[in-house]
């Protein structure tokens, strides 16, 4: 083994395939770091994206999810600075270099600038430190084909947020529990504008090789319960990217968060103690339904006491589909519980059925599908090799996940690509999910 190879032994543990390509990726990044920031010590951090097997839009309702960490990731090279500036570069030229001072109140950069994730992390870390913060020189490495595809429902934003958070917290000697780290990252994404949940940050930190993670998103005594569940032998999770990009900073996502909160507000008349939809999970849906209107105006909901003030883009004249949105959350939590049972029993047929049922609920009740995803779903549902399939992630584009027989996955990938290209003119990226380990500091070396 050469001296250079010794630095990269961690690659064999993390990546199951194309290790030589990964080595080249890391080496090129180190060279670029040196040319941007000069010689010296460099820490390398990595945070994976995720595919969510089942449990969509349940996390911010304190419900159940079942994500898998991917081997597609964001890598951040970092060095502490003597001042409190953050200098941010990216291996991809489209992301412009920028720098800012880390204060308690960092202004958002306009037009959804990519640096906002770093700004969010830096500001919220500053709030947590009782001493002056150290700035950093950072280089972000998340280019295709190794990075998490962006806007594809695979949590590219959270993998970026987590990798930057690990860098800044390590350089500043801040050690938090997993729940505290998750909270910091989640606060950072709220700063950017998504009123999201904690699933993506948790799985990015806690993912395990060859496993999905069942996660209960309700905090108990300041931490979360999770359980790794082995992925079924002989079956693959095939990911198909529709190429239709989505963004959560805006109406679609946040209005659904609002509809769920409205449901909680209305159910409080019968169940005064509840704070999230999860708190009525054990109540049969038939009992809940009569208390939830099909549609209600935001102005009426706020007049009745539901707090929706912090939801970006929500206007008083907006109409929220409260009943259908709550029904999805309630039924999806049941499906996740069914999926755990099916996985433990090795009942892939049942697991597949639950995935397909989750898609219908996401499409009809949560209304987060789109024409391109429906084309993919109708094709996948007809394939003998597919046990079940669904849209994954926030929706409105992004990816499908199909549970497929391993011996047929490659053929299926080619067939779905050909069909989709013929129908839409879009070349869909497809890949088999390699469940990877969670985020961390990989190594420290000198360039
Ligand atoms: P994606 O798919 O990466 O946009 C978003 C939220 C999750 C979760 C899912 C839907 C963030 C950072 N991510 O993920 O928390 O709510 O949608 O299940 O808010």
């Amino acid at each position: 083994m050469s001296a250079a190879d010794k630095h990269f032994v961690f690659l064999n543990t993390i990546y199951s395939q194309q290790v030589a390509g990964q080595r080249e990726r890391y080496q090129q990044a180190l060279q670029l770091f040196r040319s941007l920031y000069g010689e010296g010590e460099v820490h390398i951090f990595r945070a994976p994206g995720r595919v969510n097997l089942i449990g969509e839009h349940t996390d911010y309702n304190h419900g159940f999810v079942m994500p898998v960490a991917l081997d597609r990731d964001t890598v951040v090279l970092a060095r502490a600075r003597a001042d409190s500036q953050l200098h941010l570069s990216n291996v991809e030229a489209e992301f412009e270099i920028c720098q800012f001072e880390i204060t308690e109140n960092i202004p958002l950069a306009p037009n959804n600038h990519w640096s906002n994730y770093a700004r969010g992390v830096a500001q919220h870390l500053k709030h947590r430190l009782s001493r002056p913060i150290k700035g950093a020189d950072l280089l972000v490495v998340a280019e295709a084909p190794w990075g998490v595809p962006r806007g594809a429902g695979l949590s590219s934003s959270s993998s970026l947020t987590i990798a930057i958070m690990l860098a800044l917290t390590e350089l500043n000697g801040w050690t938090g529990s997993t729940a505290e780290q998750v909270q910091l990252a989640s606060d950072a994404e709220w700063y950017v504008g998504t009123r999201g949940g904690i699933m993506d940050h948790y799985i990015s930190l806690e993912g395990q090789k060859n496993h999905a993670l069942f996660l209960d998103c309700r905090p108990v005594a300041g931490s979360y319960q999770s359980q790794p569940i082995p992925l079924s032998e002989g079956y693959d999770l095939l990911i198909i990217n529709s190429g239709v990009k989505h963004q959560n900073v805006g109406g679609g996502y946040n209005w659904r968060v609002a509809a769920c909160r409205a449901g909680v507000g209305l159910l409080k008349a019968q169940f005064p103690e509840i704070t999230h939809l999860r708190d009525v999970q054990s109540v049969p849906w038939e009992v809940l339904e009569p208390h939830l209107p099909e549609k209600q105006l935001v102005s009426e909901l706020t007049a009745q006491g539901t707090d929706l003030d912090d939801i970006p883009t929500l206007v008083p004249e907006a109409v929220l589909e409260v009943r259908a949105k709550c029904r999805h959350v309630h039924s999806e939590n049941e499906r996740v519980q069914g999926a755990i049972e099916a996985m433990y029993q090795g009942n892939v047929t049942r697991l597949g059925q639950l995935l397909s049922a989750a898609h219908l609920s996401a499409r009809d009740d949560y209304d987060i599908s789109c024409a391109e995803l429906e084309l993919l779903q109708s094709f996948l549902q007809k394939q003998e090799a597919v046990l079940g399939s669904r849209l994954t992630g926030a929706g409105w584009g992004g990816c499908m996940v199909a549970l497929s027989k391993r011996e047929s996955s490659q053929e299926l990938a080619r067939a779905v690509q050909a069909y989709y290209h013929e129908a839409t003119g879009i070349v869909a990226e497809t890949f088999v999910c390699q469940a990877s380990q969670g985020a961390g500091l990989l190594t420290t070396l000198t360039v």
Side-chain angles (χ1 to χ4, degrees):
M1 190 188 288
S2 74
D5 281 343
K6 272 194 197 133
H7 284 310
F8 294 110
V9 277
F10 61 83
L11 295 176
N12 296 307
T13 321
I14 292 171
Y15 303 106
S16 343
Q17 49 188 18
Q18 295 178 285
V19 175
Q22 290 285 1
R23 185 178 300 116
E24 205 175 311
R25 173 194 187 204
Y26 279 79
Q27 277 166 339
Q28 281 176 1
L30 283 163
Q31 270 172 24
L32 180 58
F33 189 91
R34 185 175 135 142
S35 68
L36 285 165
Y37 300 120
E39 292 174 2
E41 197 177 58
V42 188
H43 307 280
I44 305 182
F45 301 86
R46 163 191 182 268
R50 62 101 184 96
V51 60
N52 191 17
L53 184 52
I54 191 162
E56 223 60 86
H57 290 273
T58 48
D59 60 348
Y60 48 83
N61 292 297
H62 283 186
F64 306 127
V65 294
M66 179 112 54
V68 183
L70 296 171
D71 64 350
R72 306 284 182 111
D73 53 24
T74 301
V75 171
V76 165
L77 276 52
R79 177 184 295 156
R81 293 179 59 86
D83 58 21
S84 52
Q85 292 266 318
L86 195 74
H87 289 206
L88 198 59
S89 320
N90 196 307
V91 292
E92 291 171 89
E94 66 186 273
F95 297 103
E96 58 177 359
I97 292 180
C98 69
Q99 62 186 70
F100 56 88
E101 180 73 22
I102 305 178
T103 65
E104 302 229 337
N105 204 357
I106 304 171
L108 261 178
N111 306 322
N112 297 328
H113 196 267
W114 77 286
S115 67
N116 284 339
Y117 295 97
R119 290 168 195 266
V121 170
Q123 170 173 306
H124 282 285
L125 177 61
K126 173 86 180 150
H127 292 173
R128 284 160 172 81
L129 286 179
S130 49
R131 55 181 184 280
I133 196 163
K134 265 189 219 159
D137 293 329
L138 302 183
L139 173 63
V140 172
V141 188
E143 78 290 33
W146 318 109
V148 187
R150 285 186 281 274
L154 300 177
S155 243
S156 57
S157 68
S158 299
S159 85
L160 173 64
T161 306
I162 291 286
I164 291 176
M165 181 202 71
L166 288 178
L168 287 187
T169 54
E170 170 81 23
L171 297 179
N172 278 284
W174 183 83
T175 44
S177 65
T178 301
E180 286 165 336
Q181 290 183 317
V182 161
Q183 193 54 53
L184 204 176
S186 176
D187 288 348
E189 295 219 35
W190 275 52
Y191 163 96
V192 177
T194 308
R195 296 293 172 258
I198 54 109
M199 159 170 67
D200 301 352
H201 315 111
Y202 195 96
I203 182 67
S204 187
L205 285 166
E206 294 294 317
Q208 287 195 19
K209 220 167 183 168
N210 304 325
H211 286 74
L213 197 72
F214 165 67
L215 169 64
D216 183 341
C217 298
R218 168 196 266 166
V220 177
S223 70
Y224 297 96
Q225 303 294 313
S226 67
Q227 200 179 326
I229 304 188
L231 288 168
S232 315
E233 280 296 320
Y235 296 86
D236 281 331
L237 298 176
L238 180 69
I239 298 167
I240 305 129
N241 187 350
S242 70
V244 179
K245 290 204 173 187
H246 84 99
Q247 257 210 347
N248 294 341
V249 183
Y253 188 95
N254 289 329
W255 284 31
R256 281 157 183 76
V257 176
C260 295
R261 248 197 239 174
V264 172
L266 294 161
L267 289 168
K268 267 181 187 287
Q270 261 61 45
F271 307 95
E273 302 300 316
I274 71 170
T275 59
H276 291 82
L277 285 178
R278 161 64 185 284
D279 300 321
V280 289
Q281 189 59 36
S282 58
V283 181
W285 174 251
E286 297 66 39
V287 176
L288 302 175
E289 195 178 76
H291 305 290
L292 299 167
E294 267 177 39
K295 294 181 180 184
Q296 193 153 6
L297 271 171
V298 167
S299 55
E300 290 169 4
L301 289 159
T302 48
Q304 289 163 15
T306 300
D307 181 12
L308 299 172
D309 285 353
D310 66 322
I311 306 276
T313 76
L314 200 63
V315 286
E317 54 280 11
V319 176
L320 299 181
E321 295 174 346
V322 180
R323 183 179 294 172
K325 304 302 171 263
C326 295
R327 184 168 50 218
H328 165 78
V329 173
H330 196 268
S331 66
E332 186 78 347
N333 278 326
E334 276 177 6
R335 282 185 291 272
V336 179
Q337 287 171 299
I340 306 168
E341 215 177 286
M343 287 170 87
Y344 274 129
Q345 291 166 350
N347 189 344
V348 277
T349 307
R350 178 76 192 127
L351 179 62
Q353 287 164 348
L354 288 163
L355 298 190
S356 300
H359 181 85
L360 290 181
S361 177
R363 182 191 76 184
D364 299 338
D365 275 347
Y366 227 61
D367 192 17
I368 53 172
S369 191
C370 64
E372 292 83 354
L373 292 179
E374 288 312 308
L375 272 175
L376 289 169
Q377 178 68 350
S378 63
F379 180 84
L380 291 168
Q381 292 283 304
K382 288 183 209 130
Q383 308 308 307
E384 205 265 319
V386 174
L387 289 98
S389 55
R390 58 179 288 269
L391 67 80
T392 182
W396 304 284
C399 290
M400 303 289 301
V401 59
L403 177 65
S404 72
K405 294 180 187 162
R406 183 158 295 159
E407 70 272 14
S408 312
S409 295
Q410 295 309 326
E411 201 187 320
L412 174 68
R414 280 191 292 274
V416 73
Q417 265 182 340
Y419 166 79
Y420 189 63
H421 186 250
E422 172 79 30
T424 63
I426 302 171
V427 178
E429 184 191 6
T430 61
F431 58 96
V432 166
C433 163
Q434 307 290 339
S436 95
Q437 70 186 57
L441 170 62
L442 299 181
T443 191
T444 298
L445 41 78
T446 305
V447 289

